[in-house]
């Protein structure tokens, strides 16, 4: 397995040439621009430099020295696998890949870090590197462009509208055709760098897995726990039902006491019934009717006495 390549001061550059740097159109560089030992930089503006520009000065000279060290480091790492003339259509895991001669990317090359943000991909190219028009290098599972290195023994060409990833360290020259984007750097040790309406993005390496926030896993587990907390309302109705069951229990008990209390309730009712003779019908056995007749006769006698008195008075 390869180890990351230290770029030293060359790491702040989006583009660094040996003889010249020439640009056409509104190219955008997020980092520094430099050339050494040459001094010629053409096409900025209209090209835009996000960092500093160094042409043949001490800073550019130091960056070139650090580039040479980085180039030798990448070239000297032990190979994990030999690759042929075509990288397009393949999915590669972290490692050092060696092409004995020229190699190219047609279509899509996928680099799969397998969840390791520190995973390193090094390509040792024995001759020229060519990324065909509309080709792309796709990063998967935490792979990062800052850990992808292309050590090219001759020259590199990135085709029209290609989407390229990684730091190109070419011994001779680098050409980036119209509309191609590079997430990384174009660093040429001895020759020229030629640009045409391109965009370069320097990315700082993340030290932790982007799968965690992704922000895309925590957010997923959140909804899962949300339904669980929503379970509270579900439990609430259950308790509500339980308390509703209380009346049921109360109702159940009610009939029972109601069934056993007629004996206790009847005496209250019979005490009122006694005034009108209802007691005779609720109790008293066979003598009940006689009691009724007696009461009726008594009442009749009283009525006759009252009527007689009124007549005397009148």
């Amino acid at each position: 397995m390869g180890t990351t390549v230290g770029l030293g001061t060359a790491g702040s550059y989006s583009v660094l040439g040996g003889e010249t740097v020439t640009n056409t159109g509104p190219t955008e560089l997020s980092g520094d621009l430099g050339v050494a030992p040459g001094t010629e930089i053409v096409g900025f503006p209209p090209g835009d430099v996000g960092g500093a520009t160094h042409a043949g000065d001490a800073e550019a000279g130091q960056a070139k020295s650090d580039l040479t060290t980085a180039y030798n480091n990448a070239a000297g790492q032990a190979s994990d696998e030999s690759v042929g003339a075509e990288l397009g259509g393949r999915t590669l895991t972290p490692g050092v890949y060696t092409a004995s001669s020229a190699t190219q990317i047609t279509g899509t090359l996928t680099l799969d870090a397998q969840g390791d943000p520190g995973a390193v991909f090094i390509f040792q190219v024995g001759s020229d590197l060519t990324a065909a028009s509309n080709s792309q290098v796709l990063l998967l599972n935490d792979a990062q462009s800052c850990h992808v290195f292309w050590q090219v023994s001759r020259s590199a060409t990135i085709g029209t509208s290609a989407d390229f990833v990684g730091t190109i360290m070419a011994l001779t020259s680098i050409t980036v055709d119209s509309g191609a984007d590079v997430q990384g750097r174009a660093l040429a040790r001895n020759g020229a760098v030629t640009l045409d309406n391109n965009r370069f993005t320097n990315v700082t390496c993340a030290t932790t897995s982007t799968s965690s926030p992704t922000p895309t896993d925590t957010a997923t587990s959140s909804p899962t726990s949300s339904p669980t907390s929503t379970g509270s309302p579900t439990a609430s109705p259950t308790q509500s039902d339980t308390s509703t069951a209380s009346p049921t229990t109360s109702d159940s008990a009610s009939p029972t006491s109601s069934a056993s209390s007629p004996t206790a309730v009847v005496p209250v009712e019979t005490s009122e019934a006694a005034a009108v003779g209802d007691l005779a019908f609720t109790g008293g056995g066979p003598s009940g009717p006689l009691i009724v007749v007696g009461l009726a006769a008594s009442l009749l006698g009283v009525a006759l006495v009252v009527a007689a008195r009124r007549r005397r008075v009148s």
Side-chain angles (χ1 to χ4, degrees):
M1 298 291 285
T3 58
T4 195
V5 177
L7 296 171
T9 60
S12 68
Y13 286 77
S14 290
V15 172
L16 180 62
E19 293 178 349
T20 61
V21 174
T22 304
N23 171 63
T24 301
T27 290
E28 296 178 9
L29 307 181
S30 65
D32 296 342
L33 167 64
V35 62
T39 58
E40 187 177 9
I41 295 177
V42 179
F44 291 91
D48 181 69
V49 182
T53 299
H54 299 283
D57 58 14
E59 285 84 353
Q62 182 59 57
K64 281 297 297 298
S65 176
D66 290 344
L67 170 58
T68 300
T69 301
Y71 179 96
N72 292 333
N73 178 290
Q77 294 203 33
S79 178
D80 293 312
E81 183 181 332
S82 293
V83 293
E86 179 61 75
L87 292 172
R90 298 193 62 181
T91 296
L92 302 177
T93 53
V96 179
Y97 297 91
T98 305
S100 57
S101 58
T103 192
Q104 64 179 0
I105 302 170
T106 304
T108 300
L109 166 63
T110 301
L111 304 181
D112 183 356
Q114 300 180 320
D116 178 9
V120 175
F121 299 82
I122 296 175
F123 295 89
Q124 302 166 334
V125 183
S127 182
D128 296 324
L129 168 67
T130 303
S133 295
N134 300 304
S135 64
Q136 67 171 333
V137 177
L138 180 65
L139 301 178
L140 190 65
N141 294 326
D142 292 323
Q144 301 189 74
S145 61
C146 54
H147 288 318
V148 180
F149 302 93
W150 302 84
Q151 177 263 313
V152 183
S153 299
R154 288 182 60 184
S155 297
T157 300
I158 309 303
T160 302
S161 299
D163 190 357
F164 193 81
V165 168
T167 296
I168 306 168
M169 300 178 289
L171 182 62
T172 308
S173 61
I174 301 172
T175 300
V176 186
D177 290 337
S178 177
D181 291 340
V182 177
Q183 192 178 133
R185 307 169 182 82
L187 312 177
R189 286 181 58 186
N190 301 313
V193 176
T194 304
L195 308 172
D196 185 357
N197 188 24
N198 310 120
R199 182 175 59 185
F200 280 74
T201 307
N202 286 14
V203 180
T204 302
C205 279
T207 54
T208 56
S209 171
T210 53
S211 303
S212 309
T214 283
T216 352
D217 293 343
T218 306
T220 310
S221 61
S222 255
T224 308
S225 54
S226 190
T228 307
S229 56
T230 332
S232 242
T234 309
S236 222
T238 308
Q239 294 171 352
S240 176
D241 295 343
T242 308
S243 56
T244 312
S246 238
T248 308
T249 310
S250 176
D251 294 343
S252 287
S254 247
T256 310
S257 56
S258 186
S260 60
S261 55
T263 309
V265 176
V266 170
V268 178
E269 295 178 354
T270 51
S271 66
E272 295 176 0
V276 291
D278 289 342
L279 179 62
F281 294 100
T282 51
S287 61
L290 296 177
I291 294 171
V292 173
V293 173
L295 285 173
S298 298
L299 289 173
L300 180 59
V302 171
L304 291 173
V305 171
V306 170
R309 286 181 181 177
R310 284 179 182 172
R311 285 177 187 171
R312 289 177 187 174
V313 170
S314 59

